[in-house]
Amino acid sequence: MAPGSTLPQGLNARQREAVLYLDGPCLVLAGAGSGKTRVITQKMAYLLRECGYQARHVVALTFTNKAAREMNERVRTLVDPRLLRGLTVGTFHSLGLRFLREEYAGAGLKRGFSILDATDAQGIVQELLATTDRARLRAVQQTISLWKNALLDPDGAARVAQGPDEAEAVRVYRSYEATLRAYQSVDFDDLIRLPAQMLAADEALRARWQARVQYLLVDEYQDTNACQYQLVRMLCGDRAMFTAVGDDDQAIYAWRGATVENLAQLARDYPSLRLIKLEQNYRSVQTILEAANRVIGHNPKTFDKTLWSDLGTGEPIVVTPMDSDLAEAESIAMRLSAARFERQAQWKDFAVLYRGNHQARVMEQALRTLRIPYTVSGGQSFFDKAEIRDVLAWLRLIANEDEDPAFIRAATTPRRGIGQGTLQALGAEAARRGVSLHAVAADVSEAVLPSARQREAVRDFVRLVDHFRARASRRGGAVPPLPGTAVQGDLLAFDPDPPAFDAADAAVGGQAVAEATPAGLAGAATGIDGLRGDDAARVLDDLLAAMNYERHLYDTLDERQAQSRWANVLELLEWLKRKADEDDMTLLELVQHVALVTMLERADDEEPDAVKLSTLHASKGLEYPHVYLIGVEEGLLPHRGGDDEGDVSEAAVAARARRIEEERRLMYVGITRAQRTLRISWCRKRRRGREDTICEPSRFIAEMGLQAEAPRPVGDTDPDRTLDRLKALLKR
DNA sequence: CGAAGAGTAGTTTTT
DNA sequence: CTACTCTTCG
């Protein structure tokens, strides 16, 4: 589109209103498929091109990297690149990280603080709880996370905690926070909580950031939690120049602290809030929308909203009972083949959606036997793979030597003579002195480790780590600084205004209050953060060589696995080098960032022609011509929650009802992914653990109020004949 | 200390 | 069925 053409374009009246409204706070209730991304991107374009907003003053927040990426791409097609410099389109978490990168001192953090992912955090909780009971571990971690997201500190949590389990969780919460601080680390929740709290507490800080964020757009607003809401409010201030876009019917993240009430709360906090509803759906045929409307009609409504479309009636929705999950998968695989042929469609026109990740397994198997190409969404992320964590542990340790989890991982993989016993001894001493493992290891004494052999192993390891730390700190052949030397320089990749920070405060214990003086940054690229560009690439290669990691892989695994893992490591290296270069980030900044990133970036070349397998959660925001919704049974969808079945107390009943409502919204999300056809299946029998269980069809199927379709399994003969042909083919 | 083997438990959703 | 954990042995 030629810059200078009039915006907005190709919008309906409501969408247009949402884009043009700039007189104050604005809430857009955008039903599924009603073009909300279009509204946000067009509004950004409008702000930048027509209203004279500078890009660096406009911030758009999303929940997922995927959404952020998509928005970025779409806005790039609308606006001249020169006007986009400094524009922020990112997740809440990445904004929080950016904030902390500048304001770390105010949070009591050092510059090279680490971000612990869920796995790291779980390790800490496990240690504190001294249990390996998986369920209990998850429960406690979850509870702590919910408290954090509700802006409750351990004292606050103690006030609301009930029962012995929660009392214990409070205890763990307290130690957990102390541990994070000792590691100079933050977890995912802190990335939002800390900025929100700091902004609330410090007026000058608030003023500075409010000057920076002059217009804020928030996507998926129904999924915000108390922290995120607070952050939004603090960033907007009384000026309240923001647009929030959301859909209460698609709120599916209550389990991680999101509160739909934030939608209604917005109207209370901002009486001048302009409410705009988008109800025209551009995605689905009427049959599908009607079913979706009927299902969601069973939920109590905050905002009334009825989707409609003019895309025609469409084919009826088909519900099929299956004998087992295996039969379901095989049947769907065959149907997919048949349907692709009959409809002259592509594989990527089909999606199979399910409640839980584990359901993908059976489906994958069935697709593989029929040689149907597929991609699975979610699953374990690239950065969760063992080999990736192994390498990253080293980098993290170099960036932040206080981070014990990284120390432990790096010290023990590959094996280098440091095992349980050694670590225990180091750990005990570290606890006694209140310092990190690295600090103990750096000058390990005979009193701590009696065995000379162990001491030698530890010393070798520390030498290696320190070697790379020195390399990382060195610039142009200068002498490496001593350990503990203050880190200088504040090079930010994002070019924010004004450079909110000077550098020297790190030298005095990190608590110095920052003055908003424009920092003289010339020649400040010393210190550990200075590692960038070509240096980064060289150090990475050397580090990997020093780790002897490839050898380790081939020693411990069979050829095939070792090969694939090594390939992953190389890919990580390439990615790190490329990113460091592209985003002009230092390697160690990048290492921080990695916890937040999924490697979607490589999928951007072109998406392959493959059937999409996805959880319902991960499917939000996407659309497919033909959707198969599988495992639609009581107990799975709605998922049966905790074990408060017998509990008839008012609170428990209410909690159960709310859970069902959320599951219903999940069903709604699933239905509204479909553009043209929707097939739903459920299993009479399902393997659960070691036993088969009998299943009932989900109540949501009845709630769709479909035309009383006769429960004939051979309802459509044509595809079935194709199925038989395929079966015969397979036999041979 | 570490590797190989046997047993056992596990299945919601994600930044 | 698998992936992970705990145990035992070298």
Side-chain angles (χ1 to χ4, degrees):
Chain A
M1 187 186 305
S5 62
T6 315
L7 282 167
Q9 291 182 342
L11 299 177
N12 68 30
R14 306 272 89 189
Q15 291 173 329
R16 196 181 169 79
E17 184 187 356
V19 169
L20 295 180
Y21 184 78
L22 283 176
D23 294 340
C26 179
L27 173 60
V28 181
L29 282 172
S34 64
K36 79 186 160 75
T37 309
R38 155 166 272 174
V39 165
I40 294 182
T41 50
Q42 292 269 2
K43 189 153 192 169
M44 276 194 279
Y46 178 64
L47 290 167
L48 298 175
R49 288 177 49 183
E50 315 286 326
C51 305
Y53 273 87
Q54 293 193 41
R56 59 187 186 181
H57 290 143
V58 175
V59 174
L61 295 180
T62 64
F63 276 82
T64 64
N65 295 305
K66 195 166 61 180
R69 225 177 99 241
E70 192 195 335
M71 221 170 261
N72 244 319
E73 275 162 19
R74 283 177 59 173
V75 94
R76 220 171 293 169
T77 67
L78 294 175
V79 182
D80 188 308
R82 277 170 306 171
L83 289 178
L84 287 174
R85 276 182 56 100
L87 180 72
T88 301
V89 180
T91 61
F92 272 95
H93 291 86
S94 70
L95 179 75
L97 172 59
R98 183 147 141 197
F99 180 97
L100 287 178
R101 280 234 184 93
E102 292 175 41
E103 315 289 351
Y104 54 91
L109 290 168
K110 70 176 179 189
R111 151 185 288 292
F113 67 88
S114 313
I115 300 168
L116 300 186
D117 65 24
T119 314
D120 302 317
Q122 190 175 52
I124 294 172
V125 173
Q126 181 171 344
E127 198 108 311
L128 295 173
L129 259 182
T131 180
T132 50
D133 177 358
R134 259 337 208 244
R136 178 80 188 122
L137 223 53
R138 293 173 73 101
V140 171
Q141 202 184 0
Q142 176 97 322
T143 307
I144 292 175
S145 177
L146 287 177
W147 279 332
K148 283 190 157 195
N149 287 330
L151 288 163
L152 288 168
D153 61 10
D155 289 331
R159 280 192 289 276
V160 298
Q162 287 172 355
D165 281 0
E166 292 204 341
E168 189 185 32
V170 171
R171 241 193 45 237
V172 174
Y173 184 14
R174 205 162 256 135
S175 318
Y176 174 79
E177 288 292 281
T179 307
L180 286 193
R181 238 173 294 129
Y183 293 171
Q184 287 289 315
S185 300
V186 298
D187 62 18
F188 281 153
D189 300 326
D190 289 336
L191 286 175
I192 294 158
R193 194 194 63 160
L194 291 174
Q197 286 180 340
M198 289 164 69
L199 286 167
D202 183 343
E203 198 183 330
L205 187 68
R206 205 158 57 231
R208 219 159 70 226
W209 279 82
Q210 285 178 3
R212 250 163 100 161
V213 182
Q214 290 177 14
Y215 203 96
L216 185 67
L217 300 112
V218 186
D219 190 22
E220 306 282 11
Y221 187 77
Q222 76 284 350
D223 287 330
T224 52
N225 58 38
C227 268
Q228 286 156 335
Y229 185 47
Q230 169 93 326
L231 185 60
V232 167
R233 286 191 53 183
M234 292 299 116
L235 288 175
C236 292
D238 295 332
R239 190 168 13 134
M241 289 300 274
F242 67 81
T243 297
V245 181
D247 179 4
D248 48 329
D249 291 333
Q250 293 187 73
I252 53 175
Y253 286 106
W255 54 272
R256 68 182 215 210
T259 56
V260 210
E261 288 78 45
N262 280 350
L263 278 170
Q265 188 62 35
L266 210 56
R268 283 193 286 275
D269 287 343
Y270 299 95
S272 65
L273 184 75
R274 173 71 152 260
L275 184 72
I276 297 169
K277 285 185 200 172
L278 306 181
E279 292 173 301
Q280 180 172 4
N281 172 295
Y282 294 96
R283 179 185 294 157
S284 314
V285 294
Q286 282 161 27
T287 314
I288 288 168
L289 287 184
E290 279 161 20
N293 282 333
R294 276 195 292 267
V295 167
I296 207 65
H298 288 77
N299 271 3
K301 308 278 290 183
T302 343
F303 303 96
D304 237 343
K305 186 159 45 63
T306 306
L307 291 182
W308 59 276
S309 83
D310 56 10
L311 298 179
T313 314
E315 298 169 41
I317 296 169
V318 180
V319 178
T320 319
M322 303 284 184
D323 284 335
S324 68
D325 49 352
L326 198 71
E328 180 182 51
E330 284 171 352
S331 158
I332 285 175
M334 289 188 283
R335 263 187 205 288
L336 281 169
S337 291
R340 183 178 83 119
F341 178 72
E342 283 160 7
R343 297 183 185 276
Q344 301 281 304
Q346 296 184 286
W347 290 124
K348 66 176 179 204
D349 294 334
F350 298 90
V352 180
L353 307 182
Y354 38 81
R355 177 63 228 259
N357 253 322
H358 62 282
Q359 292 173 270
R361 298 237 158 209
V362 198
M363 201 62 229
E364 281 185 73
Q365 191 59 52
L367 291 175
R368 261 197 304 264
T369 34
L370 288 197
R371 306 240 158 79
I372 297 174
Y374 65 87
T375 55
V376 191
S377 83
Q380 140 221 46
S381 109
F382 184 80
F383 291 97
D384 249 355
K385 293 177 191 289
E387 62 273 25
I388 301 304
R389 295 181 71 87
D390 286 341
V391 174
L392 286 178
W394 275 85
L395 292 170
R396 283 163 56 171
L397 186 61
I398 291 168
N400 175 11
E401 72 278 11
D402 291 330
E403 199 202 311
D404 287 354
F407 182 96
I408 293 168
R409 187 154 195 131
T412 54
T413 46
R415 298 283 170 208
R416 46 173 21 86
I418 299 175
Q420 272 311 305
T422 312
L423 282 177
Q424 233 150 48
L426 291 177
E429 176 66 5
R432 198 181 62 75
R433 281 166 44 190
V435 297
S436 64
L437 288 173
H438 178 271
V440 174
D443 59 344
V444 65
S445 67
E446 206 173 330
V448 175
L449 274 184
S451 150
R453 202 205 199 111
Q454 288 179 328
R455 284 201 303 278
E456 206 39 54
V458 169
R459 286 211 190 96
D460 283 346
F461 174 64
V462 171
R463 254 199 292 277
L464 206 54
V465 172
D466 286 349
H467 167 76
F468 281 103
R469 291 187 65 220
R471 292 264 307 268
S473 319
R474 188 177 54 199
R475 192 169 54 105
V479 180
L482 295 169
T485 300
V487 162
Q488 292 187 346
D490 191 330
L491 293 185
L492 284 165
F494 322 94
D495 169 38
D497 71 303
F501 238 86
D502 71 353
D505 55 276
V508 286
Q511 289 294 348
V513 176
E515 291 296 313
T517 48
L521 293 180
T526 50
I528 211 161
D529 303 59
L531 182 62
R532 59 169 74 222
D534 288 337
D535 289 333
R538 208 172 52 232
V539 175
L540 277 174
D541 289 336
D542 291 350
L543 173 62
L544 215 61
M547 281 175 69
N548 211 2
Y549 195 71
E550 187 175 13
R551 172 82 154 284
H552 165 251
L553 286 177
Y554 282 92
D555 284 350
T556 46
L557 303 161
D558 63 70
E559 182 98 9
R560 255 176 53 87
Q561 278 197 310
Q563 221 160 33
S564 107
R565 292 198 184 193
W566 182 243
N568 284 336
V569 170
L570 292 181
E571 193 177 345
L572 170 72
L573 239 59
E574 283 314 302
W575 185 83
L576 284 169
K577 291 175 187 172
R578 191 166 49 84
K579 285 294 272 184
D581 194 40
E582 237 169 49
D583 300 356
D584 194 30
M585 266 186 173
T586 69
L587 178 59
L588 296 175
E589 277 173 342
L590 199 54
V591 170
Q592 278 190 331
H593 187 71
V594 150
L596 298 181
V597 170
T598 44
M599 203 113 114
L600 286 162
E601 338 240 338
R602 55 182 175 161
D604 61 1
D605 305 335
E606 89 258 18
E607 69 184 83
D609 183 27
V611 173
K612 188 81 182 168
L613 301 189
S614 172
T615 62
L616 287 166
H617 283 89
S619 76
K620 189 160 73 155
L622 303 176
E623 57 187 15
Y624 305 90
H626 310 290
V627 167
Y628 292 73
L629 203 46
I630 67 172
V632 188
E633 300 140 31
E634 283 296 307
L636 239 191
L637 181 67
H639 194 271
R640 70 157 174 224
D643 15 3
D644 58 352
E645 295 281 325
D647 197 339
V648 289
S649 74
E650 206 171 311
V653 172
R656 247 188 328 258
R658 296 188 60 138
R659 276 208 302 269
I660 293 292
E661 284 162 26
E662 175 143 325
E663 296 291 312
R664 188 174 283 118
R665 291 191 290 266
L666 209 43
M667 180 77 181
Y668 176 77
V669 166
I671 296 173
T672 52
R673 294 314 94 195
Q675 295 171 308
R676 292 180 50 203
T677 74
L678 174 63
R679 303 187 71 104
I680 290 175
S681 54
W682 62 280
C683 306
R684 297 194 181 89
K685 214 172 54 185
R686 172 177 296 276
R687 285 192 78 80
R688 199 183 157 73
R690 345 171 224 297
E691 287 150 46
D692 284 353
T693 50
I694 305 295
C695 304
E696 304 268 306
S698 167
R699 67 192 77 178
F700 300 147
I701 291 178
E703 289 176 1
M704 290 196 303
L706 303 177
Q707 246 90 60
E709 22 79 49
R712 275 174 289 121
V714 281
D716 42 347
T717 42
D718 214 18
D720 277 339
R721 222 179 302 142
T722 318
L723 289 187
D724 290 338
R725 277 212 312 275
L726 276 163
K727 270 181 196 161
L729 269 169
L730 274 171
K731 292 262 161 62
R732 291 193 272 139

